[in-house]
Amino acid sequence: MEPLKETQLYCPFAYIDGSWVAADGGEQISVYNPATAEVVGNVPRLGASETHRAIEAADAALPAWRAMTAQQRGDLLLKWYDLMLEHQHDLAILMTHEQGKPLKEAEGEIAYAASFLRWFAEEGRRVYGETIPPAKADQRIVVTRHPVGVVGAITPWNFPAAMITRKAGAALAAGCTMVLKPASQTPFSATALALLAERAGIPRGVFNVVPGTAGEIAGAMTESPRVRKITFTGSTAVGSRLMAQAAENVQKISLELGGNAPFIVFEDADLDAAVEGAMAAKFRNAGQTCICTNRFLVQSSVVNAFCEKLAVAMHSELHVGDGEKDGINIGPLIDEAAVRKVSEHVQDAVDKGAELMLGGHPHPLGGNFFSPTLISAAGPEMRVASEETFGPLAAVFPFDDEDSAIEMANDTRYGLASYFYSQNLARVWRVSDALEYGMVGINTGAISNAAAPFGGMKASGLGREGGHQGLDEYLETKYLCMDIS
């Protein structure tokens, strides 16, 4: 494994109230490189007691942090942003070691993650109130905005830096403090970010990192009346349980959950552009993203041409291997269970009549590697139609007309991201309006941007991250009625 230039960024501890700490009982979590199965290192396995201490620290730090001006908080976030870019390569190495994504892609995630700190540092200065014309001449109505308070955040392994800064940037800019539980597969990205936050001058207690047992830590967050907001990115099943637990203390909650993204290609589309977009929308992070295409819906008149072009692109452009090696753009899946799931989806589709055009098996490298796979003639009875694959499997479903494409796209409990290609302007507006998704990529397969609201409909979650809407999630609205008679 490539060593870090600055070894201090490897932080095998939790971070509570400005101190680097171990678990009370000394328990640890081993973190493995999914490409090599080597142990990257160990971090403390924290539970409820340590989490409660972190919540107390965040609560104690809240008054002073909240009292700072938006510009003062923003200046500290911008220092954090600068430090992330200064250490971009080392942070990327850490991410590749623990998560597996290719180093170039990991460097891209660090830049993307840092962009949230910059965006919210600036956006925090635009938390405006308003005045409302009163019903009586001797009254004045004013609306002000205030930080919600202590935030409990739980982030996933697939984007171990960006999913942290997307939450922390907004929360801290709004004047909130945070206790973060990172994924157990990827805690070192989180602790490295905590170190850089400390160097940037973020005060003790404002940002805390508690790796450990998910159930105990989440339970401590939802049972504490000091935690006023829960933010979670992960599966719909876990999000639903968190929502139920948060109801006990009526905590605000935002959830970015599962997806089943359709990618629609109409017969009037530029097929070469659609294939280029398909490669970006499907194979980023080896297909392990919540907005990855899960179903390619292609009009029957062009489905064969599209599949042929996509097969050529996949064969020539996708290179599987250890993400530290040059030229690799498809790394390993996160673990053996992920490999099994993709294998099961492929076998289920073939058993039910799909045509296997490319791949369809674990990669000859073994371990957690899976060959990029293309199947055509997929149908609604197949598991890939209703379940999120989270791997490098492109499944193509034919459709006849626009109405059937929309019906197929919306035939899912999820509503996170969707994509479609068409050169017909009237169709662009019709389909955009009809798709039941929080995000729609039109003639593009890359939609993530710190300035845009990221989130979904239906079982894909609640609330938005990014954009000014992402800041709103961490603010309360207060109405002031003044009698001036």
Side-chain angles (χ1 to χ4, degrees):
M1 295 189 294
E2 182 179 348
L4 302 181
K5 292 180 180 178
E6 184 168 347
T7 56
Q8 284 185 320
L9 288 172
Y10 171 75
C11 304
F13 299 99
Y15 185 67
I16 297 176
D17 199 20
S19 297
W20 298 96
V21 300
D24 289 348
E27 300 91 346
Q28 292 192 321
I29 299 170
S30 294
V31 179
Y32 296 90
N33 184 329
T36 64
E38 297 176 14
V39 176
V40 177
N42 300 287
V43 294
R45 185 188 297 276
L46 271 56
S49 61
E50 300 96 334
T51 304
H52 281 300
R53 287 203 300 275
I55 292 169
E56 290 170 2
D59 190 51
L62 180 63
W65 182 250
R66 181 174 53 200
M68 293 173 69
T69 66
Q71 182 169 337
Q72 288 173 322
R73 292 193 297 265
D75 287 345
L76 294 176
L77 289 176
L78 287 175
K79 289 179 183 177
W80 195 5
Y81 161 84
D82 288 337
L83 286 168
M84 283 191 68
L85 294 186
E86 180 182 334
H87 297 284
Q88 182 177 10
H89 187 66
D90 272 352
L91 293 173
I93 291 171
L94 266 178
M95 186 183 301
T96 297
H97 287 172
E98 65 180 355
Q99 200 276 336
K101 68 179 58 177
L103 187 58
K104 183 178 179 180
E105 188 175 338
E107 289 181 334
E109 182 182 334
I110 296 303
Y112 174 56
S115 74
F116 285 103
L117 298 180
R118 180 175 182 177
W119 169 262
F120 286 116
E122 298 165 348
E123 196 66 14
R125 297 171 65 184
R126 293 186 280 274
V127 178
Y128 302 139
E130 59 183 318
T131 58
I132 299 173
K136 299 177 181 180
D138 57 358
Q139 284 186 341
R140 295 294 184 269
I141 296 175
V142 176
V143 176
T144 57
R145 312 291 301 285
H146 303 271
V148 66
V150 176
V151 175
I154 303 172
T155 54
W157 52 263
N158 58 339
F159 286 90
M163 297 304 96
I164 292 173
T165 55
R166 196 159 74 180
K167 299 178 188 299
L172 270 59
C176 300
T177 56
M178 175 171 280
V179 177
L180 167 73
K181 193 275 177 203
S184 294
Q185 297 95 328
T186 56
F188 290 113
S189 291
T191 56
L193 288 180
L195 177 67
L196 296 183
E198 183 179 68
R199 290 182 181 177
I202 304 294
R204 58 186 295 177
V206 170
F207 182 68
N208 307 272
V209 178
V210 289
T213 306
E216 288 189 33
I217 292 173
M221 289 177 175
T222 55
E223 73 184 18
S224 173
R226 293 177 174 172
V227 176
R228 297 310 314 145
K229 162 83 178 185
I230 300 291
T231 175
F232 168 76
T233 298
S235 72
T236 296
V238 174
S240 180
R241 290 199 295 272
L242 276 174
M243 192 174 178
Q245 292 170 2
E248 181 68 24
N249 283 308
V250 197
Q251 292 161 316
K252 291 186 70 171
I253 190 163
S254 55
L255 304 168
E256 195 262 284
L257 308 176
N260 188 1
F263 187 110
I264 308 171
V265 181
F266 290 102
E267 60 188 359
D268 58 62
D270 179 332
L271 289 189
D272 290 329
V275 168
E276 182 180 351
M279 295 290 285
K282 174 70 249 186
F283 295 106
R284 186 182 298 108
N285 199 22
Q288 299 174 112
T289 88
C290 52
I291 61 171
C292 267
T293 299
N294 209 59
R295 299 166 293 152
F296 286 96
L297 313 181
V298 185
Q299 199 150 11
S300 299
S301 56
V302 295
V303 67
N304 290 336
F306 176 82
C307 287
E308 290 169 5
K309 287 177 178 288
L310 183 57
V312 169
M314 290 171 61
H315 180 73
S316 62
E317 298 176 22
L318 299 180
H319 307 289
V320 178
D322 187 333
E324 286 196 82
K325 296 181 179 178
D326 292 340
I328 297 300
N329 54 13
I330 297 288
L333 300 185
I334 191 65
D335 55 28
E336 293 179 2
V339 174
R340 285 197 302 273
K341 185 176 184 181
V342 180
S343 296
E344 290 168 1
H345 277 202
V346 173
Q347 190 61 52
D348 173 76
V350 171
D351 288 347
K352 293 174 180 174
E355 179 184 349
L356 181 62
M357 296 186 65
L358 196 69
H361 50 77
H363 196 272
L365 288 170
N368 296 326
F369 295 98
F370 199 93
S371 297
T373 298
L374 174 62
I375 61 174
S376 61
E381 71 283 0
M382 299 172 187
R383 288 178 60 185
V384 70
S386 57
E387 298 179 16
E388 189 174 25
T389 303
F390 239 57
L393 165 61
V396 178
F397 299 70
F399 70 85
D400 293 327
D401 54 36
E402 183 178 309
D403 288 343
S404 60
I406 292 169
E407 182 180 357
M408 291 169 67
N410 290 338
D411 186 21
T412 173
R413 66 191 295 239
Y414 300 105
L416 188 58
S418 59
Y419 310 85
F420 72 90
Y421 275 70
S422 172
Q423 298 185 83
N424 181 317
L425 183 58
R427 170 174 280 161
V428 164
W429 284 110
R430 285 196 306 270
V431 176
S432 297
D433 288 345
L435 288 172
E436 297 171 350
Y437 290 83
M439 297 174 285
V440 183
I442 304 163
N443 294 325
T444 179
I447 61 174
S448 297
N449 190 306
F454 189 106
M457 302 176 179
K458 302 191 288 188
S460 288
L462 302 168
R464 294 294 183 269
E465 296 184 309
H468 72 82
Q469 296 89 346
L471 197 63
D472 292 342
E473 297 288 334
Y474 298 91
L475 295 168
E476 293 280 20
T477 298
K478 184 180 290 185
Y479 149 52
L480 312 179
C481 183
M482 307 179 191
D483 188 320
I484 61 169
S485 59

